């Protein structure tokens, strides 16, 4: 839902405990005049976990990004 330089806020199918190691990947959009977008592969740890509100369905998690790599083109992870 929200990405910053040092972290990401997202919803997941299950609640993860704080300090759980996570790996995730997301796509950066293509920028006009700057060529194609890129995938960003990240490793980090959960720093906050909020159970779903009544009727919401999915827990909210916040992960601190500890390392990341940009992957361009057809590279596989």
């Amino acid at each position: 839902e929200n990405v910053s330089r040092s972290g990401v806020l997202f919803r997941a199918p299950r609640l993860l405990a704080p300090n759980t190691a996570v790996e995730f990947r997301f796509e950066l959009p293509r920028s006009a005049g700057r060529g194609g977008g890129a995938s960003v592969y990240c490793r980090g740890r959960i720093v906050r976990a909020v159970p779903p509100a009544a009727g919401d369905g999915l827990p909210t998690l916040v992960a601190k990004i500890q390392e990341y790599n940009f992957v361009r083109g057809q590279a596989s992870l």
Side-chain angles (χ1 to χ4, degrees):
E1 288 188 13
N2 186 352
V3 178
S4 70
R5 177 177 284 189
S6 63
V8 61
L9 180 140
F10 61 100
R11 295 187 187 265
R14 66 185 176 105
L15 194 62
L16 298 174
N19 208 35
T20 299
V22 292
E23 296 180 2
F24 50 95
R25 176 179 156 173
F26 59 91
E27 303 293 320
L28 294 175
R30 294 177 182 247
S31 299
R34 295 182 136 180
S39 293
V40 182
Y41 172 75
C42 305
R43 290 180 184 212
R45 296 217 172 262
I46 298 297
V47 294
R48 186 170 58 208
V50 180
D56 191 9
L58 295 174
T60 300
L61 301 170
V62 178
K64 177 181 172 91
I65 298 171
Q66 295 175 310
E67 62 181 270
Y68 63 91
N69 290 303
F70 289 98
V71 181
R72 297 190 187 278
Q74 298 297 321
S76 60
L77 299 178

